[in-house]
């Protein structure tokens, strides 16, 4: 899985499964990728092979969730 933000891009190991199908990647709450996503300008993208890229808007709730997970 490739995550692209305004400041960086990072590959993460991903796994898939389920019904309906899903793809997941895990990061620790201390990972600075979460900060890069939170402070990205407007949106970030998630890309995996075999699927269309997702452009996801950054809303304040994401930043609040990251802050809460770090407490």
């Amino acid at each position: 899985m490739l995550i692209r933000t305004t400041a960086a891009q990072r590959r993460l190991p991903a796994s898939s499964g389920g019904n309906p199908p899903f793809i997941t990647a895990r990061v620790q709450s201390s990972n600075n990728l979460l900060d890069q996503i939170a402070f990205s300008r407007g949106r970030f993208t998630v890309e995996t092979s075999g699927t269309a890229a997702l452009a996801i808007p950054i809303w304040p709730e994401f930043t609040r969730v990251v802050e809460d997970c770090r407490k």
Side-chain angles (χ1 to χ4, degrees), residues 3-59:
I3 308 293
R4 292 181 196 262
T5 69
T6 304
Q9 65 180 26
R10 180 114 26 113
R11 289 200 179 277
L12 300 172
S15 59
S16 62
N19 187 16
F22 62 87
I23 300 172
T24 63
R26 293 180 182 230
V27 295
Q28 296 293 320
S29 62
S30 60
N31 191 317
N32 71 344
L33 176 61
L34 298 176
D35 297 311
Q36 292 168 339
I37 292 171
F39 297 108
S40 193
R41 293 188 194 126
R43 63 192 67 215
F44 69 101
T45 62
V46 178
E47 302 172 29
T48 59
S49 60
T51 63
L54 297 174
I56 302 170
I58 291 300
W59 291 341

